[in-house]
Amino acid sequence: MVSEKIEAPILTGSITVPKIKENASIDQKCHHAAEKHMEKLGFPGVKPVDWKEKALKKMKELLKKYRSLKVYLDTCVRCGSCADKCHYFLGTGDPKNMPVARQELFRKIYKRYFTVEGKVLGGLTNAEDLTEEVLEEWYTYFHQCSQCRRCSVFCPYGIDTAEISMAAREIMDSIGVGQKYCNEVLGKVYDLGNNLGMPGPALRNTLDFFEEDIQETTGVDVKLPLDVVGAEVLLVSPSADFFSAPHVDSLVGYAKIFHKAGISWTLSSYASEFANFGMFIGSYAVMKKVATRILDEARRLKVKRLIVGECGHAWRVGYSFWNTLIGPLDFLDPKYPIPQHICEFSLDLVNSGAVKFDKSANDEFTVTYHDSCNVARATRMGDKPGGQFEIPRALIRACCNKFVDMPDDVNREKTFCCGGGGGLLTEEIMDLRVKGTQPKAQALKDLMESHQVNLMVMICAICKAHFSHVLPHYGIPMETVGGVHQLINNAIVL
Amino acid sequence: MNIIAYIAVVIFIVGFICKVRVWTKVPAPLKIVTTPAPITYPGVILRMASEVFLFRSLFRGNKLLWLGGWIFHISLLFIVLRHLRYFFYPVPAWIMSLQTIGIYAGYIILLPLIYLLLRRWTVEINSYISNAMDYFTLFLIIGIAFTGILMKQYIRVDLVDVKAFMLGLLTLHPTISPGDILFLVHFLLVLFLILYFPFSKLMHAGGIFFSPTRNQRDNAREIRHITPWSNI
Ligand code: SF4
Ligand code: SF4
């Protein structure tokens, strides 16, 4: 197992810029996708002999399709404002994890083949030939970017390294060099509708189990409906909500709030996944295909509203991309946002008085909130900018007595990635993931010591999975990780 | 000299326009604005203005670098404005009124330039990311500033000659260039800078306006964002 190699950095009490350690994380390489997983997504199964030409051709195509890519490659001045903002650099010290250096891996090839200055001045502009070594470097370091966009916040031109790593991954996929974790998961969605590869009957069993459990603990008959045609709401939630701790507690929270609100709702076995890893691999086509399942199901079930569960990157896809990818979703009720986040939905009910909480049910917790990167920097909730920060916090405050916010430099749009986003939630790079968690772990540890915080809630399935796995390396118990609707689950008066 | 000047200017203009044209033509298929972001156009204009004039994001990223970068750019602005006097006859009053501040800016600009250079040299992460052309650009601008200061302060050149020459260039009635070496070096460095401009990171001056993470509105749910190829 890889686990022996994991060393959690020591928390020093502050988030500091490390000394550069060349190749410090070069051994943290994601497994390659197998032939069948590549082909399932429409990519070549193996690397062709003329891979170089094909890669450059793809690059040329993308440069004509994405303004972000083109402008960002042309515009960076290497000022270094982003350099110390990436959690993977802060955690590993590997200089290629500085966002600007990560971009340079791409930019040097772009310069060499697509710019006058690169062709004329060559190495002086850092231009470099595309070789096997470069491809290796690409594979390694573009899979050490969680596409969290923190670098973009601090760049004077808004250069978003995530756009570049998405393009790089798409190019690599187009020459048969794909990443196992994402592509395998996407294959399962193609086949069965969710990342876990869980078929409909298994899902029904799980939901039955939750219903019994709620019945036992509360005495109330709360339903978790599946595939109900004509329900008012289709709830699409990350499939981790059906299976993993602490995710399930939030799922039960959603169920209770629907029950209390008296709004008919349903889950779907065909569209049983909110996550959309098509974004991680930078593929518009795959992303669209995955999203289309949800469109089809919303039509088939004749629902009027689309509400989505706690998942960060998927909220980005839902909020920012669905309208483009599968819109216009004009058969849904225009009185409500399309899609609507479960937090928006729940807070409306709280504000209208339709649900009530017994805050003391959460008294054992002093709660803090982790802003997940995609929610914070790529979406909104409500109708005002920054609603993505205020709405979850308002919900938390409504259902618990003790809430402490994170310090400014790691909060809201300056939040750090958990360390496992962007398609990196895979075991073989555990050492990298642990190190990437350092900044947020530091902030949490401080709050645990200064304010006795013992629960950090969030609205992202990946954050939850990653943190519960990794925080123990920092001596923080996994139970410290929770979901916002988990608090609701505890406190709602049924 | 006249020919060189015209070539440099033409390359600058054509190069700049070509690049901007490409940026305009390449679509931004998805909403990727960095949030929290404005929802309306006036909001976007405000956001862009805060970036262009105040370097807001850089300020959040690195205060010292912000100070250096901002002083550099504002000085540069005044220097360029001051130099407009060589292109007008008679010189408009507002340009005349900027002469003193422009001259000061000419000295001040050396400070941020040297800071930026030292920063690349001495700070580990910055030296790692700097390439030859990054240094070259800085040296080029330092050279321009330096020869400019020399002319102003120590080795006076015949400004009447210079002005006649510049006006000649501008009105497409080129005259013989002044023979003063210092002026020629200064002028050639500037020409080189503008010639190099469209092929370099200096294009950030235009690129910033095309950055989708900054210039988009945050209204993905309200208005369907589509571009020709994305609606497949
Ligand atoms: S902050 Fe922006 S311009 Fe500066 S080095 Fe990073 S990507 Fe380049
Ligand atoms: S997007 Fe996030 S992970 Fe990627 S380079 Fe930027 S800060 Fe690092």
Side-chain angles (χ1 to χ4, degrees), chain A residues 75 77 157, chain B residues 16 23 52 197 201-210:
Chain A
T75 304
V77 297
Y157 319 113
Chain B
F16 197 100
W23 290 340
V52 173
F197 197 106
K201 63 172 188 175
L202 298 172
M203 281 304 289
H204 68 270
I208 184 167
F209 297 98
F210 291 87

Side-chain angles (χ1 to χ4, degrees), chain A residues 149 284 288 319 323 413, chain B residues 32 60 218 224 230 232:
Chain A
R149 316 178 91 213
Y284 190 95
K288 181 167 177 149
Y319 173 88
N323 206 359
E413 72 266 34
Chain B
I32 60 164
R60 304 171 95 194
D218 170 21
R224 184 160 187 239
S230 69
I232 40 173

Side-chain angles (χ1 to χ4, degrees), chain A residues 75-83 100 103 151 154-157 159, chain B residues 129:
Chain A
T75 304
C76 171
V77 297
R78 284 164 298 284
C79 70
S81 179
C82 62
V100 44
Q103 297 163 27
C151 43
F154 300 98
C155 171
Y157 319 113
I159 293 177
Chain B
I129 60 179

